[in-house]
Amino acid sequence: MFQNYLKIALRSLLRQKLYSAINIIGLAVGVAACLAILLYVKDELSFDTHHVKSERIIRAIYEPRYGGKSERILSTPSALAPVMRRSVPEVENAVRIYSYGAFLVSNGVKTFEEKQACYGDSTLFEVFTLPMLAGNPRTALGRPQTVVITRSMAMKYFGTIEVLGKSLRLGSTKWYEITGVIEDIPRTSHLQYSIFASFTSVTHYATQEMWDSANFLTYILLRPQASIDAVQKKIPDIIKRNISADYGEASLSVSFEPLKSIYLESEFVTPGQPKGSIYQVYGLIMLAVLLLLSACVNYTNLATARSQKRAREVGVRKTVGARGVDISVQFFAETTLLALVALVLGLLLLELVLPIFSTIIAKPLSISLLSTPVLVGFCTVIWGAITLLAGSYPAFYMASVRPDAMLKNGVRLQGSAKTARKILVVGQFAVSIVLVSGTLILREQLSFVQTKDLGLNAAQVLVFSIDDRLTAERLSALKSEIMRSPGVINSSPVEQPPTSMSNGYAVMNDGIPSNQRPVVTAIRTDRDILQTLGIKLLVGTSLPNVAAGDSTSYFVLNKAMAATLGWKPEEAVGKPFNLSNRVGRVVGVMQDFHHESLHSAITPMIFYHSLNDQPSYMLVKIAPENIQTTLAALSDVWRKVIPHRAFEYSFLDKDFEALYTSEQVLAKVVSIFAILAIGIGCLGLFALTAFTAEQRTKEIGIRKVLGASVASIIALLSKDFLKLVGVAILLATPLAYWAAGKWLQDFAYRVDLSWWVFASAGLAAVVIAFMTVAGQAWRAAQANPATSLRSE
């Protein structure tokens, strides 16, 4: 019986070559697109799952409260980890990670600037799964001046992983013994470090448990069966027992987030670490489903539309005893066969395009991942879904029609069948219009963030790391030589560059209660910072040069900082100011500027000058002409003044662009699949138009004989389909408007939703649909009427 079903199915598919090809191509494209998205989603969901104890690892969030407002900070006090390890029974272990910027690393011959370096507690390997190739994980970071490096770092500096006992210099003076080599950190980890120095090397933090300095990432390993809620309930008591009364026990708290949720769901974006979005994942899953549904719609529409061609076949089979279930099984067999062919072709197509797709999304996806049980399961589910979604309606519809009606008149599509077909076409184009609208809005927002006035000029600003003691000692000479270099307009040392300005300092002015002190971002720099970054000074002066022995600190506030303290800009100049015990006065107020992505609103910001703090970066503004000559001159300065440092830099405007990497990838992905959705929809429209023209051949012939023009016949065949596209526009526009509004809410600064975006998407759908329909209609209109009327 089954063999018979297959034979009939194969014959039917071969007899209708054009429509079978259209169905197979549409389904294959839908399958390839669906699997490509699922591979991407699987990769996103796999972040941080490689740790054996990932289900039990949580990250601490510090929550100080100032002025009645609670602030959530990723950096936590150094005391938190050891106190929780001792005081909370549910805590099995804890580890602190301290990273303050790039490390200058040298083996005595090669010197590089390594941005992915940090200090870590000796418990690092007990909490995280970091396979060690050499060394003892329990003792590797137990002593001061020890370091564990990845396989890549070992090969980079020594050409071998046999490096135990060898040394690396971190900074300009201190040498660290290599006590371990680990495998490279997987790409699917939110922690992307390649060098781990022992936390005990930072003696001023390692030997004290402080609560007033929050500079550390804290990860907690819970005991089996312990919960975050159980730990959270212990926090108030820990705060009460460990924080001094004058600080105020109600002025801070700690919360936690699961390790596996950090990449996709955390509100914090750490520079240099990967970050995804769970909402983007949900959206892509929905997109994969819609693309597959759109391909299934083509099959359903064509199978239903062409049912009249097989009416007598089905009628004869019913007359000789076939039951309704037999007819349904027959049509399901055909759909199953076609779906299998489409699945195989879809996999082949995916293998061809996946390298291109991987390049676009910057993820090394591979078709070999399909060998994993999860993705094999995906393929099986997709095959079954196509069979059920595409085959159900035609199978049950044909099984329900009476055989006498089939043999007399064939199948005449009833109102419900015609309505269902129209609904499916409307749904296809509604999806396409939503995706096109989304693409336009994504690109408009990206254009907005790239062209918006940030309050500073990041063009031709170079960012150099200068974070070591020897460079700090030669800072004055370094800046002098830089300023003498051809093509250099200005330069300024800074504690942190824009895009990474995140230091938190308490404003401790007289009159502000200790539990209401605002915590703000403050950056140590010099008098030329405003000119280097092109920031407008509203009132007062820039930072002065500080003479040797001058213990006074000088401050330039941004407009938002002055407003926070209730000062107008002109009132702020000359005011005494205390920034975390850096005492001095305000000398100027500058215009607000963006130092984060436009996801965040402008916050209070301070530039200050003090001899007690050393900068970690140098910003150099250069002329746009002869950039290579300028870079060569700066390279000579490096070799002359700080030969121990590698000449490595980044462009500040490129660093700002990198803040929107996720949005750029999303825009590309949505654009690609919007095109595919339109293509799949047009493929189905093409087939339906061809079938309609075939069914109305004689009508068209008679109209031509009676004098109908080609244009009128094209209009005749096109209007019904264009009406459906019009309905799709009416349905899709409010949905696209709502979805775009939800996405834009993630930006503090965003474009307005303009009517022309949705009008453009609708017009594009109409034009594409008309061109698809008109092509077939023109072909039918051009046919010789004598051919179609000959039998009459």
Side-chain angles (χ1 to χ4, degrees), residues 236-366:
D237 184 59
I238 290 175
I239 299 297
K240 184 176 182 179
R241 285 188 285 109
N242 289 277
I243 305 298
S244 60
D246 60 336
Y247 192 86
E249 64 181 70
S251 63
L252 63 89
S253 185
V254 178
S255 60
F256 305 93
E257 57 185 1
L259 175 71
K260 292 172 68 173
S261 73
I262 289 174
Y263 173 72
L264 289 175
E265 300 181 51
S266 178
E267 66 195 84
F268 300 100
V269 179
T270 306
Q273 309 294 359
K275 186 71 180 74
S277 167
I278 190 64
Y279 298 107
Q280 184 172 313
V281 167
Y282 292 153
L284 289 173
I285 291 173
M286 184 179 296
L287 177 57
V289 172
L290 290 175
L291 285 170
L292 193 61
L293 281 175
S294 185
C296 291
V297 164
N298 283 351
Y299 181 91
T300 303
N301 275 340
L302 275 177
T304 306
R306 290 187 60 80
S307 57
Q308 187 173 356
K309 291 287 186 179
R310 302 187 63 184
R312 287 182 173 82
E313 171 202 334
V314 175
V316 170
R317 293 184 62 196
K318 281 192 170 186
T319 301
V320 297
R323 298 167 302 170
V325 67
D326 297 321
I327 303 301
S328 296
V329 170
Q330 173 61 54
F331 277 84
F332 272 124
E334 293 179 12
T335 308
T336 302
L337 178 60
L338 189 142
L340 180 59
V341 174
L343 180 61
V344 173
L345 288 179
L347 289 172
L348 294 174
L349 179 61
L350 179 62
E351 187 169 11
L352 291 175
V353 302
L354 197 57
I356 301 172
F357 183 62
S358 296
T359 301
I360 292 172
I361 64 174
K363 284 181 179 288
L365 303 181
S366 170

Side-chain angles (χ1 to χ4, degrees), residues 393-406:
Y393 188 83
F396 295 133
Y397 178 74
M398 293 299 288
S400 66
V401 181
R402 290 171 51 192
D404 57 336
M406 290 184 173

Side-chain angles (χ1 to χ4, degrees), residues 35 38 369-384:
L35 284 174
L38 291 178
L369 291 175
L370 291 170
S371 60
T372 63
V374 172
L375 288 173
V376 171
F378 276 147
C379 291
T380 305
V381 169
I382 288 172
W383 184 19

